[in-house]
Amino acid sequence: MPKIPGVNHLDAVRALEKAGFRIIRQGKHIVMSDGVRLLTIPRHNPVNALTMGGIVRDAGLSVEETAAAMDVSPRTVKRDWSFARAWLFRRLSD
């Protein structure tokens, strides 16, 4: 089974900053907030796609907002998320 792709934690932080989040605290994890929500990004590379999907969901970002923040197309966001969900489903059904 292929490995699930991941995202560099610094790229994730930059994308969330573009979406209006600011760094509150740094340590083993980076804590970010937009004044309403708190997000925790692990400081390891890569942050796997499933974890990143959860962070994006917790941030309340739409597919279009996520794509704009990460400088990719909405189609790429949808494809990567579909791949991650399929990968997880296969792992859980083994």
Side-chain angles (χ1 to χ4, degrees):
M1 179 175 297
K3 287 188 77 173
I4 191 165
V7 175
N8 182 300
H9 78 278
L10 294 176
D11 292 338
V13 168
R14 278 192 287 274
L16 289 166
E17 285 177 333
K18 279 181 161 180
F21 286 83
R22 297 292 167 246
I23 296 173
I24 296 175
R25 186 179 56 215
Q26 296 186 47
K28 289 185 178 182
H29 293 80
I30 299 170
V31 179
M32 301 183 79
S33 176
D34 66 351
V36 178
R37 296 175 178 91
L38 282 177
L39 305 175
T40 303
I41 297 98
R43 277 191 154 208
H44 60 77
N45 287 318
V47 176
N48 80 38
L50 295 170
T51 301
M52 199 61 223
I55 292 168
V56 168
R57 185 194 65 233
D58 292 346
L61 300 177
S62 68
V63 169
E64 290 75 20
E65 291 168 327
T66 303
M70 297 187 77
D71 293 324
V72 297
S73 71
R75 184 176 177 194
T76 299
V77 171
K78 290 177 186 176
R79 183 188 65 230
D80 289 351
W81 186 236
S82 292
F83 176 81
R85 283 193 318 252
W87 182 90
L88 179 62
F89 181 77
R90 280 193 309 269
R91 290 289 291 199
L92 293 175
S93 63
D94 285 345

Coordinates of all heavy atoms in Angstrom, one line a residue:
M1 N 0.8 -1.2 0.0 CA 0.0 0.0 0.0 C 0.9 1.2 0.0 O 1.8 1.3 0.8 CB -0.9 0.0 1.2 CG -1.8 1.2 1.3 SD -2.9 1.1 2.7 CE -3.9 -0.3 2.3
P2 N 0.6 2.2 -0.9 CA 1.4 3.4 -0.9 C 1.3 4.2 0.4 O 0.2 4.2 1.0 CB 0.9 4.2 -2.1 CG -0.5 3.7 -2.3 CD -0.5 2.3 -1.9
K3 N 2.3 5.0 0.7 CA 2.3 5.9 1.8 C 1.4 7.1 1.5 O 1.3 7.5 0.4 CB 3.6 6.4 2.2 CG 4.5 5.3 2.8 CD 5.8 5.9 3.3 CE 5.4 6.6 4.6 NZ 6.6 7.1 5.3
I4 N 0.7 7.6 2.5 CA -0.2 8.7 2.3 C 0.7 10.0 2.2 O 1.7 10.1 3.0 CB -1.2 8.8 3.5 CG1 -2.2 9.8 3.2 CG2 -0.5 9.1 4.8 CD1 -3.4 9.7 4.1
P5 N 0.4 10.9 1.3 CA 1.3 12.1 1.2 C 1.1 13.0 2.4 O 0.1 12.9 3.1 CB 0.8 12.7 -0.1 CG -0.6 12.2 -0.2 CD -0.7 10.8 0.4
G6 N 2.0 13.9 2.6 CA 1.9 14.8 3.7 C 2.2 16.2 3.3 O 2.5 16.5 2.1
V7 N 2.1 17.1 4.2 CA 2.4 18.5 4.0 C 3.4 19.0 5.0 O 3.4 18.6 6.2 CB 1.1 19.3 4.3 CG1 1.3 20.8 4.2 CG2 0.0 18.9 3.4
N8 N 4.4 19.8 4.6 CA 5.4 20.3 5.4 C 4.7 21.2 6.5 O 3.8 22.0 6.1 CB 6.4 21.1 4.6 CG 7.5 21.7 5.4 OD1 7.3 22.5 6.3 ND2 8.7 21.3 5.1
H9 N 5.1 21.1 7.7 CA 4.4 21.9 8.8 C 4.6 23.4 8.5 O 3.7 24.2 8.9 CB 4.8 21.5 10.2 CG 6.2 22.0 10.6 ND1 7.4 21.4 10.2 CD2 6.5 23.1 11.4 CE1 8.4 22.1 10.8 NE2 7.9 23.1 11.5
L10 N 5.7 23.9 8.0 CA 5.9 25.3 7.7 C 4.9 25.8 6.6 O 4.4 26.9 6.7 CB 7.3 25.6 7.4 CG 8.3 25.3 8.5 CD1 9.7 25.6 8.0 CD2 8.0 26.2 9.7
D11 N 4.7 24.9 5.6 CA 3.7 25.2 4.6 C 2.3 25.3 5.1 O 1.5 26.2 4.7 CB 3.8 24.2 3.4 CG 5.0 24.2 2.6 OD1 5.8 25.3 2.7 OD2 5.4 23.2 2.0
A12 N 2.0 24.5 6.1 CA 0.7 24.5 6.7 C 0.5 25.8 7.5 O -0.5 26.4 7.4 CB 0.5 23.3 7.6
V13 N 1.6 26.2 8.2 CA 1.5 27.4 9.0 C 1.3 28.6 8.1 O 0.5 29.5 8.3 CB 2.7 27.6 9.9 CG1 2.8 29.0 10.5 CG2 2.7 26.5 11.0
R14 N 2.1 28.7 7.0 CA 2.0 29.8 6.0 C 0.6 29.9 5.4 O 0.0 30.9 5.3 CB 3.0 29.7 4.9 CG 4.4 30.2 5.3 CD 5.3 30.3 4.1 NE 5.8 29.0 3.6 CZ 6.8 28.3 4.1 NH1 7.5 28.8 5.1 NH2 7.1 27.2 3.6
A15 N 0.0 28.7 5.1 CA -1.3 28.7 4.5 C -2.4 29.2 5.5 O -3.3 29.9 5.1 CB -1.7 27.2 4.0
L16 N -2.2 28.7 6.7 CA -3.2 29.2 7.8 C -3.0 30.7 8.1 O -4.0 31.4 8.3 CB -3.1 28.3 9.0 CG -3.6 26.9 8.8 CD1 -3.1 26.0 10.0 CD2 -5.1 26.9 8.7
E17 N -1.8 31.2 8.0 CA -1.6 32.6 8.2 C -2.3 33.4 7.0 O -2.9 34.4 7.3 CB -0.1 33.0 8.2 CG 0.5 32.6 9.5 CD 2.0 32.9 9.6 OE1 2.7 32.9 8.5 OE2 2.5 33.0 10.7
K18 N -2.2 32.9 5.8 CA -2.9 33.5 4.7 C -4.5 33.5 5.0 O -5.2 34.4 4.5 CB -2.7 32.8 3.4 CG -1.4 33.1 2.7 CD -1.4 32.3 1.5 CE -0.4 32.8 0.5 NZ -0.4 31.9 -0.8
A19 N -4.9 32.5 5.7 CA -6.4 32.4 5.9 C -6.8 33.2 7.2 O -7.9 33.2 7.6 CB -6.7 30.9 6.1
G20 N -5.9 33.9 7.8 CA -6.2 34.8 8.9 C -5.8 34.3 10.3 O -6.2 35.0 11.3
F21 N -5.2 33.2 10.4 CA -4.7 32.7 11.7 C -3.4 33.3 12.0 O -2.6 33.6 11.1 CB -4.7 31.1 11.6 CG -6.0 30.5 11.6 CD1 -6.7 30.4 10.5 CD2 -6.6 30.1 12.8 CE1 -8.0 29.8 10.5 CE2 -7.8 29.5 12.9 CZ -8.5 29.4 11.7
R22 N -3.1 33.4 13.3 CA -1.8 33.9 13.8 C -1.3 32.9 14.8 O -2.0 32.3 15.6 CB -2.0 35.3 14.5 CG -2.5 36.4 13.5 CD -1.4 36.7 12.5 NE -2.0 37.5 11.4 CZ -2.1 37.1 10.2 NH1 -1.7 35.9 9.8 NH2 -2.6 37.9 9.2
I23 N 0.1 32.9 14.9 CA 0.7 32.0 15.8 C 0.6 32.6 17.2 O 0.9 33.8 17.4 CB 2.2 31.8 15.5 CG1 2.4 31.1 14.1 CG2 3.0 31.1 16.6 CD1 3.8 31.1 13.6
I24 N 0.2 31.8 18.2 CA 0.0 32.2 19.6 C 1.2 31.6 20.4 O 1.7 32.3 21.2 CB -1.3 31.6 20.1 CG1 -2.5 32.3 19.4 CG2 -1.4 31.9 21.6 CD1 -3.8 31.7 19.9
R25 N 1.5 30.4 20.1 CA 2.6 29.7 20.9 C 3.3 28.7 20.1 O 2.7 28.1 19.2 CB 1.9 29.1 22.1 CG 2.9 28.5 23.1 CD 2.2 27.9 24.3 NE 1.3 26.8 23.8 CZ 0.1 26.6 24.4 NH1 -0.2 27.2 25.5 NH2 -0.7 25.7 24.0
Q26 N 4.6 28.5 20.3 CA 5.4 27.5 19.6 C 6.1 26.7 20.7 O 6.6 27.2 21.7 CB 6.4 28.2 18.7 CG 5.7 28.9 17.6 CD 6.8 29.4 16.6 OE1 7.6 28.7 16.2 NE2 6.7 30.7 16.2
G27 N 6.2 25.4 20.4 CA 6.9 24.5 21.2 C 7.0 23.2 20.4 O 7.4 23.3 19.2
K28 N 6.6 22.1 20.9 CA 6.6 20.8 20.1 C 5.5 20.9 19.1 O 5.5 20.2 18.1 CB 6.4 19.6 21.0 CG 7.6 19.3 21.9 CD 7.4 18.0 22.6 CE 8.6 17.7 23.4 NZ 8.4 16.4 24.1
H29 N 4.5 21.8 19.4 CA 3.4 22.0 18.4 C 3.3 23.5 18.3 O 3.8 24.3 19.1 CB 2.1 21.5 19.0 CG 2.0 20.0 19.1 ND1 2.6 19.3 20.1 CD2 1.5 19.1 18.2 CE1 2.4 18.0 19.9 NE2 1.8 17.9 18.8
I30 N 2.7 23.9 17.2 CA 2.4 25.4 16.9 C 1.0 25.6 17.1 O 0.1 24.9 16.5 CB 2.8 25.7 15.5 CG1 4.3 25.5 15.3 CG2 2.5 27.2 15.2 CD1 4.8 25.6 13.8
V31 N 0.6 26.5 18.0 CA -0.8 26.8 18.3 C -1.1 28.1 17.6 O -0.4 29.1 17.7 CB -1.0 27.0 19.8 CG1 -2.5 27.3 20.1 CG2 -0.6 25.7 20.5
M32 N -2.2 28.1 16.8 CA -2.6 29.2 16.0 C -4.1 29.6 16.4 O -4.9 28.7 16.7 CB -2.5 29.0 14.5 CG -1.1 28.6 14.1 SD -0.9 28.4 12.3 CE -0.9 30.1 11.8
S33 N -4.5 30.8 16.2 CA -5.8 31.2 16.4 C -6.2 32.3 15.4 O -5.4 33.1 15.0 CB -6.0 31.7 17.8 OG -7.3 32.2 18.1
D34 N -7.5 32.4 15.1 CA -8.1 33.5 14.4 C -9.0 34.4 15.3 O -9.7 35.2 14.8 CB -8.9 33.0 13.2 CG -10.1 32.2 13.6 OD1 -10.3 31.9 14.8 OD2 -10.9 31.9 12.7
G35 N -8.9 34.2 16.6 CA -9.7 34.9 17.5 C -10.9 34.2 17.9 O -11.5 34.5 18.9
V36 N -11.3 33.1 17.2 CA -12.4 32.3 17.5 C -12.0 30.9 17.7 O -12.5 30.2 18.6 CB -13.5 32.4 16.3 CG1 -14.7 31.5 16.6 CG2 -13.9 33.8 16.1
R37 N -11.2 30.4 16.8 CA -10.8 29.0 16.8 C -9.3 28.8 17.2 O -8.5 29.7 16.9 CB -11.0 28.3 15.5 CG -12.4 28.3 15.0 CD -12.5 27.7 13.6 NE -13.8 27.6 13.1 CZ -14.4 28.6 12.4 NH1 -13.8 29.7 12.2 NH2 -15.7 28.4 12.0
L38 N -9.0 27.7 17.9 CA -7.6 27.4 18.2 C -7.2 26.2 17.4 O -8.0 25.2 17.3 CB -7.4 27.1 19.7 CG -7.4 28.2 20.7 CD1 -7.3 27.7 22.1 CD2 -6.2 29.1 20.3
L39 N -6.1 26.2 16.8 CA -5.6 25.1 16.0 C -4.2 24.7 16.5 O -3.4 25.5 16.9 CB -5.4 25.5 14.5 CG -6.7 26.0 13.8 CD1 -6.4 26.4 12.4 CD2 -7.8 24.9 13.8
T40 N -3.9 23.4 16.5 CA -2.6 22.9 16.9 C -2.0 22.1 15.7 O -2.6 21.2 15.2 CB -2.8 21.9 18.1 OG1 -3.4 22.7 19.1 CG2 -1.4 21.5 18.6
I41 N -0.8 22.6 15.3 CA -0.1 22.0 14.2 C 1.1 21.3 14.7 O 1.9 21.9 15.3 CB 0.3 23.0 13.1 CG1 -1.0 23.6 12.5 CG2 1.1 22.4 12.0 CD1 -1.4 24.9 13.0
P42 N 1.3 20.0 14.5 CA 2.5 19.3 15.0 C 3.7 19.8 14.2 O 3.6 20.1 13.0 CB 2.2 17.8 14.7 CG 1.1 17.8 13.7 CD 0.3 19.1 13.8
R43 N 4.8 19.8 14.9 CA 6.1 20.3 14.3 C 6.9 19.1 13.8 O 8.1 19.0 14.1 CB 6.9 21.0 15.3 CG 6.5 22.4 15.5 CD 7.6 23.1 16.3 NE 7.5 24.5 16.0 CZ 8.5 25.3 16.0 NH1 9.7 24.9 16.4 NH2 8.4 26.5 15.6
H44 N 6.3 18.3 13.0 CA 7.1 17.2 12.4 C 6.7 17.2 10.9 O 5.7 17.7 10.5 CB 6.9 15.9 13.0 CG 5.4 15.4 13.0 ND1 4.8 14.9 11.9 CD2 4.5 15.4 13.9 CE1 3.6 14.6 12.1 NE2 3.3 14.9 13.4
N45 N 7.7 16.7 10.1 CA 7.4 16.7 8.7 C 7.5 15.2 8.2 O 8.3 14.4 8.6 CB 8.5 17.5 7.9 CG 8.3 18.9 8.1 OD1 7.2 19.4 8.0 ND2 9.4 19.6 8.4
P46 N 6.6 14.9 7.3 CA 5.4 15.7 6.9 C 4.2 15.5 7.9 O 4.2 14.5 8.6 CB 5.1 15.1 5.6 CG 5.5 13.7 5.7 CD 6.7 13.6 6.6
V47 N 3.4 16.5 7.9 CA 2.1 16.3 8.6 C 1.2 15.6 7.7 O 1.0 16.0 6.6 CB 1.5 17.7 9.0 CG1 0.1 17.6 9.6 CG2 2.4 18.6 9.8
N48 N 0.8 14.4 8.1 CA 0.0 13.6 7.1 C -1.3 14.2 6.7 O -1.8 15.1 7.4 CB -0.1 12.1 7.5 CG -1.2 11.9 8.5 OD1 -2.3 12.5 8.4 ND2 -1.0 11.0 9.4
A49 N -1.7 13.8 5.5 CA -2.9 14.4 4.9 C -4.2 14.3 5.8 O -5.0 15.2 5.8 CB -3.2 13.9 3.5
L50 N -4.3 13.2 6.5 CA -5.5 13.1 7.3 C -5.5 14.1 8.5 O -6.5 14.7 8.8 CB -5.6 11.7 7.9 CG -5.8 10.6 6.8 CD1 -5.7 9.2 7.3 CD2 -7.2 10.8 6.1
T51 N -4.3 14.2 9.1 CA -4.2 15.2 10.2 C -4.4 16.6 9.6 O -5.1 17.4 10.2 CB -2.8 15.1 10.8 OG1 -2.6 13.8 11.3 CG2 -2.6 16.2 11.9
M52 N -3.8 16.9 8.5 CA -4.0 18.2 7.8 C -5.5 18.5 7.5 O -6.0 19.6 7.7 CB -3.1 18.3 6.6 CG -2.9 19.7 6.1 SD -2.0 20.7 7.3 CE -2.9 22.2 7.2
G53 N -6.2 17.4 7.0 CA -7.6 17.5 6.8 C -8.4 17.9 8.0 O -9.3 18.7 8.0
G54 N -8.0 17.3 9.1 CA -8.7 17.6 10.4 C -8.4 19.0 10.8 O -9.3 19.7 11.3
I55 N -7.2 19.5 10.6 CA -6.8 20.9 11.0 C -7.6 21.9 10.1 O -8.2 22.8 10.6 CB -5.3 21.1 10.8 CG1 -4.6 20.3 11.9 CG2 -5.0 22.6 10.9 CD1 -3.1 20.3 11.6
V56 N -7.7 21.6 8.8 CA -8.5 22.4 7.9 C -10.0 22.4 8.3 O -10.6 23.5 8.3 CB -8.3 22.0 6.4 CG1 -9.3 22.7 5.5 CG2 -6.9 22.3 6.0
R57 N -10.5 21.3 8.6 CA -11.9 21.2 9.0 C -12.1 22.0 10.3 O -13.1 22.8 10.4 CB -12.3 19.7 9.3 CG -13.8 19.6 9.6 CD -14.1 18.2 10.2 NE -13.5 18.1 11.4 CZ -12.7 17.0 11.8 NH1 -12.5 16.1 10.9 NH2 -12.1 16.9 12.9
D58 N -11.2 21.9 11.3 CA -11.3 22.6 12.5 C -11.2 24.1 12.3 O -11.7 24.9 13.1 CB -10.3 22.1 13.5 CG -10.5 20.7 14.0 OD1 -11.6 20.2 13.8 OD2 -9.6 20.2 14.7
A59 N -10.4 24.5 11.3 CA -10.3 25.9 10.9 C -11.5 26.5 10.3 O -11.7 27.7 10.2 CB -9.1 26.1 10.0
G60 N -12.4 25.6 9.9 CA -13.7 26.1 9.2 C -13.5 26.6 7.8 O -14.3 27.4 7.3
L61 N -12.4 26.1 7.1 CA -12.2 26.6 5.8 C -12.9 25.8 4.8 O -13.0 24.5 4.9 CB -10.7 26.5 5.5 CG -9.7 27.4 6.4 CD1 -8.3 27.1 6.0 CD2 -10.1 28.8 6.3
S62 N -13.4 26.4 3.7 CA -14.0 25.7 2.6 C -12.9 25.2 1.7 O -11.8 25.5 1.8 CB -14.9 26.6 1.8 OG -14.2 27.6 1.2
V63 N -13.3 24.4 0.7 CA -12.4 23.8 -0.3 C -11.7 25.0 -1.0 O -10.5 25.0 -1.2 CB -13.1 22.9 -1.3 CG1 -12.2 22.5 -2.4 CG2 -13.5 21.6 -0.5
E64 N -12.5 26.0 -1.4 CA -12.0 27.1 -2.1 C -11.0 28.0 -1.2 O -10.0 28.4 -1.7 CB -13.1 28.0 -2.6 CG -13.9 27.4 -3.7 CD -14.9 26.3 -3.2 OE1 -15.2 26.3 -2.0 OE2 -15.3 25.5 -4.1
E65 N -11.4 28.2 0.0 CA -10.5 28.9 0.9 C -9.2 28.1 1.2 O -8.1 28.7 1.2 CB -11.2 29.2 2.3 CG -12.3 30.2 2.2 CD -13.1 30.2 3.4 OE1 -13.3 29.1 4.1 OE2 -13.7 31.3 3.7
T66 N -9.3 26.8 1.3 CA -8.1 26.0 1.5 C -7.2 26.1 0.3 O -6.0 26.2 0.4 CB -8.5 24.5 1.8 OG1 -9.3 24.5 2.9 CG2 -7.3 23.7 2.0
A67 N -7.8 26.0 -0.9 CA -7.0 26.0 -2.2 C -6.3 27.4 -2.3 O -5.1 27.4 -2.7 CB -8.0 25.8 -3.4
A68 N -7.0 28.4 -2.0 CA -6.4 29.8 -2.1 C -5.2 29.9 -1.1 O -4.2 30.5 -1.5 CB -7.4 30.9 -1.9
A69 N -5.4 29.4 0.1 CA -4.4 29.6 1.1 C -3.1 28.7 0.8 O -2.0 29.1 1.1 CB -4.9 29.1 2.5
M70 N -3.4 27.6 0.1 CA -2.2 26.7 -0.2 C -1.7 26.9 -1.6 O -0.8 26.2 -2.1 CB -2.6 25.2 0.0 CG -3.0 24.9 1.4 SD -3.3 23.2 1.8 CE -1.6 22.6 1.8
D71 N -2.3 27.8 -2.4 CA -1.8 28.1 -3.7 C -2.0 26.9 -4.7 O -1.1 26.6 -5.4 CB -0.4 28.7 -3.8 CG -0.3 30.1 -3.1 OD1 -1.3 30.9 -3.3 OD2 0.7 30.3 -2.5
V72 N -3.1 26.2 -4.5 CA -3.4 25.1 -5.4 C -4.8 25.3 -5.9 O -5.6 26.1 -5.4 CB -3.2 23.7 -4.8 CG1 -1.7 23.5 -4.4 CG2 -4.1 23.6 -3.6
S73 N -5.2 24.5 -6.9 CA -6.6 24.6 -7.3 C -7.6 23.8 -6.4 O -7.1 22.9 -5.7 CB -6.7 24.0 -8.8 OG -6.6 22.6 -8.7
P74 N -8.8 24.2 -6.4 CA -9.8 23.5 -5.6 C -9.9 22.0 -6.0 O -10.1 21.1 -5.2 CB -11.1 24.2 -5.9 CG -10.7 25.6 -6.3 CD -9.4 25.4 -7.0
R75 N -9.7 21.7 -7.3 CA -9.7 20.3 -7.8 C -8.5 19.5 -7.1 O -8.7 18.4 -6.7 CB -9.5 20.3 -9.3 CG -9.6 19.0 -9.9 CD -9.5 19.0 -11.4 NE -9.5 17.7 -11.9 CZ -9.2 17.4 -13.1 NH1 -8.8 18.3 -14.0 NH2 -9.2 16.2 -13.5
T76 N -7.4 20.1 -6.9 CA -6.3 19.5 -6.2 C -6.6 19.2 -4.8 O -6.3 18.1 -4.3 CB -5.0 20.3 -6.3 OG1 -4.6 20.5 -7.7 CG2 -3.8 19.7 -5.6
V77 N -7.2 20.1 -4.1 CA -7.6 19.9 -2.7 C -8.6 18.8 -2.6 O -8.5 17.9 -1.8 CB -8.3 21.2 -2.1 CG1 -8.9 20.9 -0.8 CG2 -7.2 22.3 -2.0
K78 N -9.6 18.7 -3.5 CA -10.6 17.7 -3.5 C -10.0 16.3 -3.8 O -10.3 15.3 -3.2 CB -11.7 18.0 -4.5 CG -12.6 19.1 -4.1 CD -13.6 19.4 -5.2 CE -14.4 20.6 -4.9 NZ -15.4 20.9 -6.0
R79 N -9.1 16.3 -4.8 CA -8.4 15.0 -5.2 C -7.5 14.5 -4.0 O -7.6 13.3 -3.7 CB -7.5 15.2 -6.4 CG -6.9 14.0 -6.9 CD -5.9 14.2 -8.0 NE -4.8 15.0 -7.5 CZ -4.3 16.1 -8.0 NH1 -4.8 16.6 -9.1 NH2 -3.3 16.8 -7.5
D80 N -6.8 15.4 -3.4 CA -5.9 14.9 -2.3 C -6.7 14.4 -1.1 O -6.4 13.5 -0.5 CB -5.0 16.1 -1.9 CG -3.9 16.4 -2.9 OD1 -3.7 15.6 -3.8 OD2 -3.2 17.4 -2.7
W81 N -7.8 15.1 -0.8 CA -8.6 14.7 0.3 C -9.3 13.4 0.0 O -9.4 12.5 0.9 CB -9.7 15.8 0.7 CG -10.5 15.5 1.9 CD1 -11.8 15.5 2.0 CD2 -10.0 15.2 3.2 NE1 -12.2 15.1 3.2 CE2 -11.1 15.0 4.0 CE3 -8.7 15.1 3.8 CZ2 -11.0 14.6 5.4 CZ3 -8.6 14.7 5.1 CH2 -9.8 14.5 5.9
S82 N -9.8 13.2 -1.2 CA -10.4 11.9 -1.6 C -9.4 10.8 -1.5 O -9.7 9.7 -1.1 CB -10.9 12.0 -3.1 OG -12.0 12.9 -3.1
F83 N -8.1 11.0 -1.9 CA -7.1 10.0 -1.8 C -6.8 9.7 -0.4 O -6.7 8.5 0.0 CB -5.8 10.5 -2.5 CG -4.6 9.6 -2.3 CD1 -4.5 8.5 -3.2 CD2 -3.7 9.7 -1.3 CE1 -3.5 7.6 -3.0 CE2 -2.7 8.8 -1.1 CZ -2.5 7.8 -2.0
A84 N -6.8 10.7 0.5 CA -6.5 10.4 1.9 C -7.6 9.6 2.5 O -7.4 8.7 3.3 CB -6.3 11.7 2.7
R85 N -8.9 9.9 2.2 CA -10.0 9.2 2.7 C -10.0 7.7 2.2 O -10.2 6.8 3.0 CB -11.3 9.8 2.4 CG -11.6 11.1 3.2 CD -13.1 11.5 3.1 NE -13.5 11.5 1.7 CZ -13.8 12.5 0.9 NH1 -13.6 13.7 1.4 NH2 -14.2 12.4 -0.3
A86 N -9.7 7.5 1.0 CA -9.6 6.2 0.4 C -8.5 5.4 1.0 O -8.7 4.2 1.3 CB -9.5 6.3 -1.1
W87 N -7.4 6.0 1.2 CA -6.2 5.4 1.9 C -6.6 4.9 3.3 O -6.3 3.8 3.7 CB -5.1 6.3 1.9 CG -3.8 5.8 2.5 CD1 -2.8 5.1 1.9 CD2 -3.4 5.8 3.9 NE1 -1.8 4.7 2.7 CE2 -2.2 5.1 4.0 CE3 -4.0 6.3 5.1 CZ2 -1.5 5.0 5.2 CZ3 -3.3 6.2 6.3 CH2 -2.1 5.5 6.3
L88 N -7.3 5.8 4.1 CA -7.7 5.5 5.4 C -8.7 4.3 5.4 O -8.6 3.4 6.2 CB -8.3 6.7 6.1 CG -8.8 6.4 7.5 CD1 -7.6 6.0 8.4 CD2 -9.4 7.7 8.1
F89 N -9.6 4.4 4.5 CA -10.6 3.3 4.4 C -10.0 1.9 4.1 O -10.3 0.9 4.7 CB -11.7 3.6 3.3 CG -12.7 2.6 3.1 CD1 -13.8 2.5 4.0 CD2 -12.6 1.6 2.1 CE1 -14.7 1.5 3.9 CE2 -13.6 0.7 1.9 CZ -14.6 0.6 2.9
R90 N -9.0 1.9 3.2 CA -8.3 0.7 2.9 C -7.5 0.2 4.1 O -7.5 -1.0 4.4 CB -7.3 0.9 1.7 CG -8.0 0.8 0.4 CD -7.1 0.7 -0.8 NE -6.0 1.7 -0.8 CZ -6.0 2.9 -1.4 NH1 -7.1 3.2 -2.0 NH2 -5.0 3.6 -1.3
R91 N -6.9 1.1 4.8 CA -6.1 0.7 6.0 C -7.0 0.1 7.1 O -6.6 -0.8 7.7 CB -5.3 1.9 6.6 CG -4.2 2.4 5.7 CD -3.1 1.4 5.8 NE -2.4 1.4 7.1 CZ -1.3 0.9 7.3 NH1 -0.5 0.5 6.3 NH2 -0.8 0.9 8.5
L92 N -8.2 0.7 7.3 CA -9.1 0.2 8.3 C -9.8 -1.1 7.9 O -10.2 -1.8 8.8 CB -10.1 1.3 8.6 CG -9.6 2.6 9.2 CD1 -10.7 3.6 9.4 CD2 -9.0 2.3 10.6
S93 N -9.9 -1.3 6.6 CA -10.6 -2.6 6.2 C -9.6 -3.8 6.1 O -10.0 -4.9 5.8 CB -11.3 -2.3 4.9 OG -10.4 -2.0 3.9
D94 N -8.3 -3.5 6.2 CA -7.3 -4.7 6.2 C -7.4 -5.5 7.4 O -7.7 -5.2 8.5 CB -5.9 -4.1 6.0 CG -5.6 -3.6 4.6 OD1 -6.4 -4.0 3.7 OD2 -4.6 -2.9 4.4

